[in-house]
Structure formats: structure tokens, C-alpha cells
Amino acid sequence: MTSYSCCLILLLFTWNTSAYGPNQRAQKKGDIILGGLFPIHFGVAAKDQDLKSRPESVECIRYNFRGFRWLQAMIFAIEEINSSPTLLPNMTLGYRIFDTCNTVSKALEATLSFVAQNKIDSLNLDEFCNCSEHIPSTIAVVGATGSGISTAVANLLGLFYIPQVSYASSSRLLSNKNQFKSFLRTIPNDEHQATAMADIIEYFRWNWVGTIAADDDYGRPGIEKFREEAEERDICIDFSELISQYSDEEEIQQVVEVIQNSTARVIVVFSSGPDLEPLIKEIVRRNITGKIWLASEAWASSSLIAMPEFFRVIGSTIGFALKAGQIPGFREFLQKVHPKKSTNNGFAKEFWEETFNCYLPDGSKNSPASTSFHKGHEEGLGTGNGTSAFRPPCTGDENITSVETPYMDYTHLRISYNVYLAVYSIAHALQDIYTCTPGKGLFTNGSCADIKKVEAWQVLKHLRHLNFTNNMGEQVDFDEFGDLVGNYSIINWHLSPEDGSVVFEEVGHYNVYAKKGERLFINENKILWGGFSKEVPFSNCSRDCLPGTRKGIIEGEPTCCFECVDCPDGEYSDETDASACDKCPEDYWSNENHTSCIPKQIEFLAWTEPFGIALTLFAVLGIFLTSFVLGVFTKFRNTPIVKATNRELSYLLLFSLLCCFSSSLFFIGEPQNWTCRLRQPAFGISFVLCISCILVKTNRVLLVFEAKIPTSLHRKWWGLNLQFLLVFLCTFVQIVICVIWLYTAPPSSYRNHELEDEIIFITCHEGSLMALGFLIGYTCLLAAICFFFAFKSRKLPENFNEAKFITFSMLIFFIVWISFIPAYASTYGKFVSAVEVIAILAASFGLLACIFFNKVYIILFKPSRNTIEEVRCSTAAHAFKVAARATLRRSNVSRKRSNSLGGSTGSTPSSSISSKSNHEDPFPLPACAERQRQQQRGCKQKVSFGSGTVTLSLSFEEPQKNAMANRNAKRRNSLEAQNSDDSLMRHRALLPLQ
């Protein structure tokens, strides 16, 4: 039974390895075997398996020179380790390397060979079977290349905990240790590369891109990570397509149509070279130029894409490349390859034939190598240099350095160095096992593994704890995800002026260890766009918004497609493509272009502006005129007119007018707290003082004239002290209002930003409009009372109270302040102060002109009327007129009474009053004539009425003559006339007051 099992397993193993004949592997015996998976071919030939016969293994096509160089890097590293006296002394490393043909199926086929060999070793059949050709188990595998292939291989190797160290698989999915337990890699994970791509796009201020990804475990996760990074940076994606080297022509055409119709000029591609090649060929056929290609490391330096015939289409490629390493002696090793010398490398024969486009004489023309080339060439997929379907025989003396192929491109060893590092990582893990001290090991109770019987899982354990220094002096240790963190070089495709080939110019780098924002460095001077231009291409959905504008959203479009909207007034933007405009500080306003803020214009009723100058001149004029009137009144203070107008109150009235004119000046100039608190009280108190003086003067005369014969009590009651007391009391009420106002809500200077956006109005905040209303209302109340008394006194002698002029002045006062209220409420800014100044000046000029100008005119230009006789004559005329009216009324009453009793007519008792008519209206009284004669004889007044003429006589001589004249008049007048002349005698008795 045991022999049967042994034979069965050997048959299975033999069948598994039979598909890999001598020409399909590189193999060398050793104490410890390392496996290798490399893409010696780019793909497999499509074959329809109809299953009418036993299926055959698919054929690999399109030779990959770079893949063979990577394989050589593994062999070189193993041979270097075997020759090292310090690393694994007395131990020999062997290898078994297979071609994955860049497909999952071939990679799994090779992986099964590794797993099957390990299972045979686990059965310990040596004692039953004499296996002289026995090959030890594969304790670690180096590979594979593509992330999709590595994912499939890792799933299988992980079942047996066989460590897998990849040199080129960068998919971030492979960092999941729950799924890929035994996977490690010497290449950075794609997460950093996707971030670096987004950083490059942000650096060049692009925001409108397209994305293309390979439809596998490399392209999909990589582009997904890029989308996440792009979204964070407000980069919009116009289209996103998936491709594969096995896509049919129709799918390729659809992707090309999308690229051609897109307005995005930048295309981000996460793909390998074989997957991208069909798409690039179609783009070249259609001659779609002007695109910028952002390449992932998998194709940034691919020999399939970086071809001179493709350069006009993809010459603006910016790509990522792994950091190059140095492998001393590797160049010479590459040049030593020869089919006859490389007996352990079954791929050397095909390499030689593909390099020199010939076939070795000992090989059949129908050999796989020849057949693959023949078919590939006919299908347009070959990579050889031949021009016919059949190759000439090789001589074996060809010079490898005479032919330029990717195999000899060792100037930038990136993937090759990763292979070299992967082999050394496994070797150092074995070295740790070899030098392990019992009690300090990584296994149970500090035990160590036996290097002679080491198993794959033990090597995996030491790889996870690996830490060594490579030949470049760098520390190598895998993180918890089995990754090595590395940096990227940024390359730009140039066309070599020497031979026209595509060269990769390093134009920057990306340091993943640096702080965010400092990781990317690009030397723009080295970049050539399209192979010749230095100008950075434009790839934005919308043109940049200039300073002074912001980006506005267009409905239904991505956020990167916007319209430029001007910043509103009061806001600015000083950068291009601003998402929003910034508000200017409170005391600033945006300039005309909205690119910066400038100080707001400050406005108030200034002394220097024309309006302020005009108001100041009027105020000064008012002060001058008032001062002039006061001077005139002071100089002519003993003249009858000045005396008749109650000169003491007139002085106080003129002083109040000076205060009124002066208070208007507090409203001009920049408002300060002290001026704001002073100006309204000054205005209010000045006007109340003025109105109070007028009111007391008018009321005093009116009361005297309406009283009986004035006595000493009247004179005492209406003395000067009482007049001043009344003025003080009226003014004191206003003072109380102002004090309460200033205590409860004092006015203050206020910078008003709300009236006009770009102007700051410095005004006075009144504190309480109610208090201002009380102040003006009280003033208007006094003015109304004054108007009432003035109107009632309109028929009194004008020498006493100037009733007509006071009435006019009060009318002007009311008109001014009634107009002031709507004007004050409807204006703003400095015009509020201007309106109040105009109101103060208008009211003040009205009072000054109406009350004093007439008297000043008489005093200065009509001195003949400024006499005591003129004053007394005017007073007597008024008294006689009043007496005559009273007598006439009584006469008419008596006549009517007589008519009603006897029907007879008669005349009134004899008197000095004669009546001629009873039915006509009275005429105004004439003035005194012949003033010189009247001064000697007295003054006769003839009063005419509609019913007759009354002649009155009154002497203005000495008091003795006045008394005698009064006695003679009493004798002549009848008793009825004497009883009716109370009013006349009242006015006559008022004369001594003058």
C-alpha cells in the first residue's frame, strides 16, 4: 500500500512538472530551494478549447526582456550569497524559477509545483522510495509581478504558510494579513502612489482629469484610492474606464471614444504595460494628441509603451518609478549570459533567439520559441527584430552588447533591485535561523529552528521579525502589513536626440517619510510637455477665476465646472480660483476690482468742505450782526425806542441770540463725545432763553394795557427783578430737561457703517430721541405761548411790543421747526447736522431781523422818530382811539334806547366830542402834524369815524398844565362821557412808565 502511494504521488508530481520541460524553467539544486515567478512572456495565445481531445497547456507569446533581466537578478543574488563566506556559510541555495506568462493560470500552475513538492516532503517517503533526483521543498517564493497574479498565488501559498516576497505587486489589498497571511513585498504599497498622483495634479493646479485602470486587483484598488484623494483636493473626474489586455476591440473603441470626446487633458492610468498596450495602439492609430498621461509605476517605464512610434501621443507622460538601487557586478553578469554557459537557465536559449532574431541549430524550427515568434509576428504581437516569418540560425558567437534591448538597460535598476532585495531578505531570515541561540529563538520557550530541516512557516516567522542593512546602507524591515515603506522618483518621458529612443528623465521625487505638504518635489525646468514645450498644459473644466472673483456653482455640473462671479461690494479675493470672497474688516471697503480692501471714506460735516464753510460763514455773520445790534442798543441805550423795548430784556435777548448763533458751530467738525453732549443742550437752552425774553416782554405790556389804572402795586409786580425771575424759571425747566438727558442717556460720537457701505458717517448718537423731543417740544411750547400773546397784542402801540414783528418772527420760528422734523427724520449722515444747523440759523436770523432790524433802522437812519414825543403821541393816539370807540358804542346804545321809548331823536350831552354820522366804519388815525408846534401847544388828534369826526386834545407840557387840562376837559365832558372814559384814562396814566 505504501509503495503504491509513493508511486502515485511521484506520478502526480511528474505530471505536474512535465508541463514545464527543460526549456520552461530555470533550476539549480541546493540545500535550500527558493522559488521564483517571473513574466518571461507578456501573455498567452488565445486558443479555443473544444475538449474533443485532451487539453494542452496554453502557449506563451511576446517575449519580455525586462522579465528575463529580473530573473537574472534573482540568480545573481543567489550565486552571490552562495559565494559569501559570512552569509549562510556551508549552506547552498538552489532555485526553481518559472514563467508566469503574465497570467494567473500559468502562475498558479507553477505555484502548484511548489506546493506539490512540499507535500511530498511532508510524507517522508525517502525510506520507502529511493529518490536520487529528489529536490528539497521550496521554503520561500520570490514573485510575482502583477498584483492580480500575486493575489491568486498568495491565496494558495498562504494555505501552507509558504512565504511569498513580491518585488512588483503594489496593490493595497495585499496588505490585508487576514487574507494574505504569508505575503510580503519589497515595493511600496499603492496607497502612497495614489496620494502622490493627487499631489502632482494639485501641484500643477489641474482639477479636471480622466482615469483609466486595469480591471484587476492592481488597477481597481489603486484608482479607488486616487478618487478618495482627489475628492479631498476638489479634483473632479470626467470619466473612469476599465481596461484589460484581453478586452475585445469594441470595448477598446468605446474607451478611445470617451478619451477623444473628453475635455479633460490629464489622464491618470493605474495599469500594467500589457493591459494598456491595446488602448495606446488605438489612440496612436487615431492620432489623439494633446493628452497628459500620469503613469503608475507599473507602466511608467514599460518597454511596451515607451516606444518612439508612440511618443507623439504619450510624449507628455509624467510617471512614478521606484527608487533605483545599485547592484555591483550585475552588469557583467548580464553580459555573460549564453545558452551554452547558462545550463541551469532554461530561458537562456529563447532569450538568445529573441535577442538576435535567429534560432539555435540544435533547436527545431517548430520549437516553442520559434513558433511563438512566428505566430506573434504574423499577428503583429512579436517583439523580435526579424522581418520574415523564419529566422536564420544562430552562430553562438553573437555579441550581447551589440544589440539594444530592455535586457541591457541597467542604468536604473528598480524592479531588478527589488528582486535582489527580496532574495537577500530570505537569506537574512535563514541566517537568523542559522545563528539562532537556543533560549533566544522566536519559537516556543525560545527554541530555534533547525537550519537543516527548516520549514517554510519557520522562515515566515523570521521574515516578519527581519531587520538588516542592505548593500546601500539602508535598514530593511517589514512592517506589520509585510510592506517596505519606500520613496518614488518622478520621471518625464523625453525623446533622445542621439538615437530617437524614449528616455526617462528624473524630474522630482516623492518622500513618504516627510510631513504632509512637503513630500513632493518637482523641478519644472526639467519637464518637457509633449517632448518640447515648457508651458504647463491646462486641464481644468473652467478657466481660473481671477482675483476679485469667486467660483460660482453651475447647476448640474461637477464642482470643478464653475463660473466666475464678481465679489460683491465689501468683499474681496486676492487669489485665483477663490471658493468664496472674504469680507473686508469693519472700517474697510473693497476696491474697484475687489482684489483688496481699502479704508472706508469717513464723512462728517467738516469745517473745510464747501457746505461746512458756508454754514460757518452764516453763523459768523449772525454773531456779527447780533453783536452789532447789541452795540447799537448799548450806545443808544437812553433813547426812547431802546427804553420803550425794555432795554434790559433786550440785552438778554441779544445775548441769547449770540448763544443761538454760536451753538450752531458745535454741529460742524468731527463729532467728539464732548461736542455731542454739548451741542443739543446749548442749542435748546439758548433758544428757550431767547423765547422766554420775548414772552416776558410781550406779556408784561399786554397785561398792563388790559389792566385798570396802573398803581404802585402793578409797577412793583412787573418790576425788572420779576421779569428776570420769570425768564430764569422758563430757562431752568429746559436746563432740568438737559441735565436729566445727559445723566440718563448722554449723547456720544458714533461711527455709522450701516447707511452706506463704503462710507463711515461719524455722527452723534443722541442717546434718547425722547429727550431731544422734549427739548424741542418745550421750546416750541414757549414759542406758541409767545405767539399767542404777540397776536393778542397786535393792536398795541408798536413802540411797546412790536406785535406785528414778533408775530412774524414766531411764524418763521414755527415754519422752520415744523419743517425741521421731517427733514431731520429723512436725512442721514452729515446732513442731519446740516439740517439742524440750517434750522438754528434760520430761526435765529428770523428773530433777529423781525425784532431788532426795524429799531436799528430808526435809530441809525430815522433819528427824528426816536423821540419821547413820538413815543407818547403814538401811545396817546392808541388811548384816544380806544376811548372814542367806547364812547361811540355807548352813544349808539343810548340812541337806540331813546328811539325805543319816544321815537324822537336827540344829541348826546355836550362835550368836546361831536358826532356827524353813525353808520360808517372808522378810518385809521393820522399822525401828529407840526411836531414843533405840538411840543408848545400840545397835540390835537382828530379821530374820524363813519358816523362823524371826533377831535381830541391833549397837552404834553409840564405836569401842572396837564392837570389843568384834565380839569377843563372834565368840565366840558358830560357825566356820561366821563363815565365812559375809563379806558382813556388808563392809557393816559401809563405814560409815566416810559
Side-chain angles (χ1 to χ4, degrees), residues 113-132:
S113 174
F114 302 141
V115 172
Q117 181 63 47
N118 285 22
K119 294 305 294 181
I120 291 174
D121 287 350
S122 67
L123 294 177
N124 294 320
L125 299 179
D126 290 345
E127 57 181 300
F128 302 102
C129 302
N130 183 15
C131 302
S132 59

Side-chain angles (χ1 to χ4, degrees), residues 614-646:
L615 293 177
T616 302
L617 290 177
F618 277 107
V620 172
L621 177 63
I623 294 172
F624 172 77
L625 292 177
T626 305
S627 302
F628 176 76
V629 172
L630 181 59
V632 170
F633 267 55
T634 303
K635 182 177 181 180
F636 298 94
R637 59 185 175 277
N638 294 319
T639 60
I641 283 185
V642 175
K643 288 182 177 181
T645 56
N646 199 336

Side-chain angles (χ1 to χ4, degrees), residues 547-549 567 573 590-596:
T549 62
C567 289
S573 67
S590 56
N591 61 1
E592 184 178 356
N593 298 326
H594 300 280
T595 56
S596 62

Side-chain angles (χ1 to χ4, degrees), residues 64-349:
N64 183 3
F65 288 97
R66 294 178 69 207
F68 184 70
R69 187 180 73 220
W70 300 339
L71 178 148
Q72 288 285 79
M74 179 177 177
I75 295 175
F76 175 79
I78 290 175
E79 292 185 359
E80 192 175 63
I81 292 168
N82 287 337
S83 61
S84 173
T86 58
L87 190 58
L88 295 177
N90 303 320
M91 298 291 296
T92 303
L93 295 181
Y95 53 84
R96 295 176 65 211
I97 303 174
F98 296 97
D99 179 13
T100 63
C101 299
N102 205 37
T103 60
V104 172
S105 59
K106 283 293 185 181
L108 287 178
E109 187 177 350
T111 305
L112 284 173
S113 174
F114 302 141
V115 172
Q117 181 63 47
N118 285 22
K119 294 305 294 181
I120 291 174
D121 287 350
S122 67
L123 294 177
N124 294 320
L125 299 179
D126 290 345
E127 57 181 300
F128 302 102
C129 302
N130 183 15
C131 302
S132 59
E133 298 297 325
H134 172 63
I135 299 176
S137 299
T138 303
I139 54 91
V141 175
V142 176
T145 307
S147 296
I149 298 173
S150 287
T151 299
V153 171
N155 280 319
L156 183 55
L157 293 179
L159 294 175
F160 305 98
Y161 291 92
I162 301 174
Q164 174 189 0
V165 184
S166 176
Y167 49 85
S169 299
S170 56
S171 172
R172 60 178 181 151
L173 297 180
L174 292 167
S175 295
N176 185 351
K177 293 299 106 177
N178 292 325
Q179 184 176 359
F180 309 106
K181 302 178 180 64
S182 62
F183 181 82
L184 303 97
R185 53 186 163 191
T186 56
I187 185 173
N189 143 0
D190 278 338
E191 189 163 346
H192 298 296
Q193 185 176 188
T195 303
M197 285 183 166
D199 285 345
I200 286 180
I201 292 174
E202 186 178 34
Y203 176 87
F204 287 112
R205 303 179 61 84
W206 297 325
N207 64 11
W208 190 237
V209 302
T211 63
I212 296 174
D215 191 10
D216 56 22
D217 289 338
Y218 170 72
R220 289 191 301 269
I223 213 66
E224 183 62 32
K225 175 63 178 177
F226 170 78
R227 287 198 195 98
E228 295 173 5
E229 296 290 335
E231 187 175 354
E232 292 181 3
R233 294 165 173 79
D234 293 329
I235 299 170
C236 298
I237 297 175
D238 184 28
F239 63 87
S240 187
E241 300 291 336
L242 296 175
I243 59 173
S244 171
Q245 61 176 318
Y246 302 111
S247 299
D248 57 35
E249 186 176 352
E250 184 178 352
E251 293 174 339
I252 296 297
Q253 295 283 353
Q254 290 177 354
V255 175
V256 173
E257 287 288 341
V258 171
I259 295 172
Q260 190 170 17
N261 296 329
S262 173
T263 56
R265 295 189 63 187
V266 175
I267 302 175
V268 180
V269 182
F270 254 96
S271 173
S272 63
D275 287 323
L276 183 63
E277 184 186 21
L279 178 68
I280 294 299
K281 286 184 175 179
E282 180 61 24
I283 292 174
V284 170
R285 189 186 68 82
R286 295 196 184 191
N287 196 27
I288 301 174
T289 58
K291 302 294 182 181
I292 299 101
W293 299 84
L294 194 54
S296 65
E297 51 80 26
W299 73 274
S301 57
S302 172
S303 58
L304 288 177
I305 311 299
M307 301 177 67
E309 54 267 31
F310 296 166
F311 190 81
R312 72 177 188 276
V313 169
I314 56 175
S316 295
T317 298
I318 297 286
F320 288 87
L322 302 174
K323 184 178 179 181
Q326 300 295 327
I327 306 177
F330 186 52
R331 175 179 180 182
E332 292 75 14
F333 179 80
L334 292 178
Q335 294 175 352
K336 290 179 181 178
V337 65
H338 195 279
K340 294 180 180 180
K341 296 178 182 179
S342 305
T343 55
N344 295 320
N345 191 345
F347 300 104
K349 177 177 180 293

Side-chain angles (χ1 to χ4, degrees), residues 895-955:
R895 190 183 305 113
K896 289 179 181 179
R897 188 179 300 167
S898 298
N899 291 337
S900 63
L901 291 176
S904 62
T905 61
S907 62
T908 61
S910 62
S911 66
S912 61
I913 305 174
S914 62
S915 177
K916 293 182 179 180
S917 178
N918 299 321
H919 305 291
E920 294 183 7
D921 295 329
F923 293 95
L925 291 173
C928 293
E930 300 177 357
R931 287 184 174 84
Q932 295 296 329
R933 187 180 59 179
Q934 290 172 1
Q935 291 177 2
Q936 299 174 359
R937 300 179 181 180
C939 179
K940 290 185 178 181
Q941 289 283 358
K942 181 181 291 183
V943 183
S944 299
F945 296 95
S947 59
T949 302
V950 178
T951 302
L952 303 176
S953 64
L954 184 64
S955 175

Side-chain angles (χ1 to χ4, degrees), residues 329-609:
F330 186 52
R331 175 179 180 182
E332 292 75 14
F333 179 80
L334 292 178
Q335 294 175 352
K336 290 179 181 178
V337 65
H338 195 279
K340 294 180 180 180
K341 296 178 182 179
S342 305
T343 55
N344 295 320
N345 191 345
F347 300 104
K349 177 177 180 293
E350 185 179 0
F351 165 75
W352 199 266
E353 292 177 336
E354 292 293 338
T355 300
F356 299 105
N357 196 25
C358 63
Y359 72 93
L360 293 172
D362 57 341
S364 170
K365 291 183 181 181
N366 293 326
S367 66
S370 299
T371 305
S372 67
F373 170 79
H374 178 72
K375 292 182 179 179
H377 183 74
E378 287 181 342
E379 295 172 10
L381 300 175
T383 58
N385 300 322
T387 57
S388 62
F390 298 96
R391 299 174 176 175
C394 300
T395 63
D397 297 327
E398 291 86 358
N399 184 3
I400 193 68
T401 60
S402 64
V403 180
E404 291 187 5
T405 62
Y407 171 76
M408 292 301 295
D409 183 12
Y410 43 77
T411 54
H412 299 287
L413 299 178
R414 296 185 173 92
I415 300 297
S416 299
Y417 184 76
N418 285 353
V419 174
Y420 181 80
L421 192 59
V423 175
Y424 264 87
S425 298
I426 298 171
H428 276 278
L430 292 172
Q431 178 70 11
D432 291 342
I433 295 174
Y434 182 79
T435 59
C436 178
T437 302
K440 296 182 179 180
L442 300 178
F443 304 103
T444 306
N445 299 324
S447 60
C448 299
D450 185 358
I451 190 63
K452 295 182 179 180
K453 296 181 180 180
V454 66
E455 297 184 31
W457 64 272
Q458 294 172 328
V459 178
L460 177 61
K461 178 69 174 177
H462 278 271
L463 279 171
R464 290 179 178 176
H465 294 80
L466 183 66
N467 191 337
F468 74 98
T469 303
N470 63 14
N471 67 323
M472 297 180 65
E474 299 172 344
Q475 286 296 119
V476 177
D477 60 329
F478 296 101
D479 61 18
E480 57 181 325
F481 303 109
D483 298 337
L484 286 182
V485 179
N487 299 326
Y488 292 98
S489 296
I490 299 173
I491 60 174
N492 178 222
W493 290 13
H494 290 185
L495 205 59
S496 173
E498 299 174 357
D499 55 7
S501 63
V502 178
V503 294
F504 309 119
E505 180 71 23
E506 186 169 338
V507 295
H509 61 265
Y510 187 82
N511 185 2
V512 299
Y513 298 100
K515 293 187 297 183
K516 189 174 183 180
E518 300 178 1
R519 297 173 180 173
L520 180 67
F521 169 77
I522 293 180
N523 186 351
E524 292 189 51
N525 294 326
K526 291 185 177 182
I527 298 179
L528 293 179
W529 303 100
F532 61 89
S533 176
K534 290 283 187 179
E535 183 181 356
V536 178
F538 179 83
S539 184
N540 296 61
C541 185
S542 302
R543 286 286 176 182
D544 293 343
C545 288
L546 299 176
T549 62
R550 63 169 179 85
K551 295 188 289 187
I553 298 175
I554 301 176
E555 188 175 355
E557 295 290 338
T559 56
C560 298
C561 300
F562 50 82
E563 58 183 352
C564 296
V565 180
D566 291 336
C567 289
D569 292 337
E571 297 183 8
Y572 75 101
S573 67
D574 55 0
E575 58 183 13
T576 57
D577 278 348
S579 300
C581 298
D582 298 321
K583 286 189 175 181
C584 290
E586 188 177 27
D587 292 343
Y588 289 81
W589 192 250
S590 56
N591 61 1
E592 184 178 356
N593 298 326
H594 300 280
T595 56
S596 62
C597 291
I598 56 177
K600 286 184 178 180
Q601 180 182 350
I602 295 178
E603 280 200 5
F604 52 85
L605 189 58
W607 298 100
T608 55
E609 65 176 287

Side-chain angles (χ1 to χ4, degrees), residues 955 958-970 988:
S955 175
E958 289 79 1
Q960 294 82 2
K961 295 180 179 181
N962 289 341
M964 186 174 290
N966 289 337
R967 284 194 298 269
N968 293 332
K970 289 179 181 179
R988 288 170 57 197

